[in-house]
Amino acid sequence: MYPDAQGRFGDFGGKYVPETLMSALTTLEADYYRLVKDPEFQKQLQHYLTDYSGRPTPLYFARHLTEYCGGAKIYLKREDLNHTGAHKINNTLGQGLLAKMTGKKRIIAETGAGQHGVASATVAALLGLECTVFMGEEDMERQALNVFRMRLLGTEVVPATSGTKTLKDATNEAIRHWVEHVTDTYYIIGSVVGPHPYPMIVRDFQRVIGDETKLQIIEQEGRLPDTIIACVGGGSNAMGIFYPFVEDEQVTLIGIEAAGEGMDTERHAASIAKGTRGVLHGSMTLLLQDEYGQVQPAHSISAGLDYPGIGPEHAHLFESKRATYEPITDQEALDAFVTLSRVEGIIPALESAHAVAYAINYAKTLPKDAVIVINLSGRGDKDVHTVEHVLGGNLS
């Protein structure tokens, strides 16, 4: 069972942080193990997941997309229907309650596409906590609507102006800030990254996606799916739906990396296919780096996938060959964004469109009685401006 006592997933994971954070992480781990067994914590979490966020989300048989592809049956796990429009709310409700029930008055978070920032701002407003969100300056321009939503919810949004001004730099700023305010501030990490126990905590709060999917697909098909497909940046939505199926060896798990402008260019975010072992944001994982260990810039049209590393459990699933990871380019994701909108009337987040793009081609290679589940991790409202800018008058 992973992680082990040292917070490792095989060779990956662990705690690579300044000494000032070690005590806070040890306390967080103890608080987490204590509170997840607390009936009052679970009562409040289930209440908010059900009555506030709207769980369970549907598992929708995409009949028209299935007919369009002409192969396997395709189901969509509709995390886009969550309150705030993405799977991120599952984790922030859990960690927000951890902050509240351990006496913290203030939370901070980092965000790329803005969905984790909006979810953190939402939970802070709900639970009466102060909130500061760090966001790359470039991402603030790409996701201006989400910046406004966070501010509307009463959150301070702090631009990260270093480096590529994207998610990596926002995470750097959040960690620096946490080091200086660790005594009164809870840091809600938004993906299955960072030092132990964060990858475990985020995975556990996101596994509700996979737990529901398992029950729903058995109800609808009478069996487990053949394949589950999900996009990976840091990897929280993928780990959430993968985790309950890891022991079901007959289920193929496929994570989709952002190939950006192509795998033969330097403009991608494929940290598994092109990454090497190293330490990023407090854990040993696979990341884009040069021969001197300097982190290389990542690129994706999707701000949520624009991250140079991968969660350590995904690195372990890759190396142990339990999951495979495939690349999808910006253009392929854009095509899928339009296709799903027109075929099913569902506008996906650009992150999710990467998974849809792979599934469209993959489904054609399978027989009609095969079953694919795509985790539709978020809705595309936030990305309409980006897509409009890229496609311009080419949308007919």
Side-chain angles (χ1 to χ4, degrees):
M1 182 64 70
Y2 293 107
D4 63 19
Q6 284 71 48
R8 291 186 174 276
F9 305 88
D11 292 339
F12 303 102
K15 298 176 185 172
Y16 297 84
V17 295
E19 190 175 348
T20 50
L21 291 183
M22 289 299 288
S23 176
L25 292 170
T26 300
T27 300
L28 173 60
E29 184 178 4
D31 287 340
Y32 172 71
Y33 280 127
R34 174 176 57 84
L35 284 171
V36 292
K37 298 175 185 174
D38 183 334
E40 181 57 28
F41 178 88
Q42 287 297 336
K43 179 182 176 182
Q44 290 196 37
L45 179 59
Q46 292 308 313
H47 162 66
Y48 287 126
L49 287 172
T50 303
D51 298 332
Y52 187 74
S53 182
R55 304 204 71 88
T57 58
L59 183 66
Y60 168 69
F61 173 48
R63 183 182 306 278
H64 302 297
L65 183 63
T66 297
E67 292 172 357
Y68 175 85
C69 296
K73 300 172 73 172
I74 300 175
Y75 285 82
L76 304 175
K77 180 56 175 169
R78 298 292 308 276
E79 290 300 292
D80 58 312
L81 295 181
N82 269 310
H83 178 48
T84 72
H87 71 292
K88 294 293 188 182
I89 192 72
N90 306 325
N91 170 52
T92 54
L93 282 169
Q95 290 203 58
L97 281 174
L98 278 180
K100 183 80 172 181
M101 296 179 77
T102 53
K104 294 292 194 295
K105 306 294 185 187
R106 179 171 182 266
I107 61 174
I108 62 170
E110 85 297 325
T111 194
Q115 292 302 91
H116 175 57
V118 170
S120 296
T122 298
V123 167
L126 174 70
L127 300 178
L129 301 168
E130 295 180 31
C131 183
T132 299
V133 172
F134 296 87
M135 189 172 189
E137 198 170 45
E138 180 177 323
D139 290 339
M140 290 179 70
E141 293 181 10
R142 290 195 285 187
Q143 301 293 341
L145 177 61
N146 275 340
V147 174
F148 178 76
R149 293 168 74 192
M150 284 183 270
R151 288 172 171 161
L152 183 64
L153 289 159
T155 282
E156 177 190 20
V157 183
V158 177
T161 58
S162 60
T164 56
K165 305 174 185 177
T166 57
L167 178 57
K168 170 182 71 69
D169 310 293
T171 306
N172 289 341
E173 292 299 324
I175 291 174
R176 287 192 194 101
H177 184 91
W178 193 37
V179 169
E180 296 172 358
H181 301 83
V182 69
T183 56
D184 67 350
T185 299
Y186 184 101
Y187 179 16
I188 299 183
I189 288 184
S191 194
V192 286
V193 300
H196 178 70
Y198 278 109
M200 174 186 71
I201 289 174
V202 178
R203 176 199 70 191
D204 290 353
F205 285 137
Q206 291 292 1
R207 68 168 292 170
V208 65
I209 306 170
D211 286 337
E212 287 179 6
T213 299
K214 183 173 277 191
L215 293 173
Q216 291 168 323
I217 198 67
I218 289 175
E219 182 178 351
Q220 295 190 53
E221 289 288 337
R223 66 181 180 89
L224 297 181
D226 297 287
T227 307
I228 295 175
I229 301 173
C231 63
V232 291
S236 66
N237 91 88
M239 191 52 64
I241 195 167
F242 284 179
Y243 186 60
F245 293 92
V246 166
E247 301 298 322
D248 300 310
E249 296 285 345
Q250 72 272 35
V251 180
T252 300
L253 306 176
I254 304 177
I256 307 302
E257 294 195 289
E261 296 178 4
M263 296 295 284
D264 56 348
T265 76
E266 294 184 352
R267 298 267 296 166
H268 61 76
S271 54
I272 289 183
K274 295 288 188 176
T276 53
R277 291 187 182 208
V279 173
L280 179 65
H281 296 143
S283 68
M284 175 69 72
T285 188
L286 296 172
L287 69 148
L288 303 177
Q289 57 186 331
D290 65 17
E291 65 269 34
Y292 305 107
Q294 296 297 309
V295 179
Q296 296 296 288
H299 163 77
S300 171
I301 193 172
S302 166
L305 303 184
D306 196 351
Y307 184 70
I310 186 73
E313 193 163 8
H314 281 294
H316 172 65
L317 291 179
F318 168 70
E319 289 222 338
S320 64
K321 303 186 186 305
R322 177 61 189 95
T324 59
Y325 295 82
E326 303 289 345
I328 284 292
T329 66
D330 288 348
Q331 186 59 56
E332 290 171 315
L334 282 166
D335 292 344
F337 185 94
V338 174
T339 297
L340 189 65
S341 299
R342 294 188 171 182
V343 171
E344 288 289 353
I346 297 172
I347 301 175
L350 274 173
E351 291 88 340
S352 312
H354 286 70
V356 175
Y358 185 83
I360 286 173
N361 290 322
Y362 182 71
K364 297 172 183 173
T365 70
L366 299 179
K368 291 183 181 297
D369 61 349
V371 173
I372 295 173
V373 174
I374 304 170
N375 193 21
L376 205 67
S377 56
R379 69 184 185 222
D381 309 41
K382 67 184 179 58
D383 295 317
V384 168
H385 177 72
T386 298
V387 174
E388 181 187 30
H389 176 73
V390 173
L391 294 180
N394 296 322
L395 194 61
S396 59

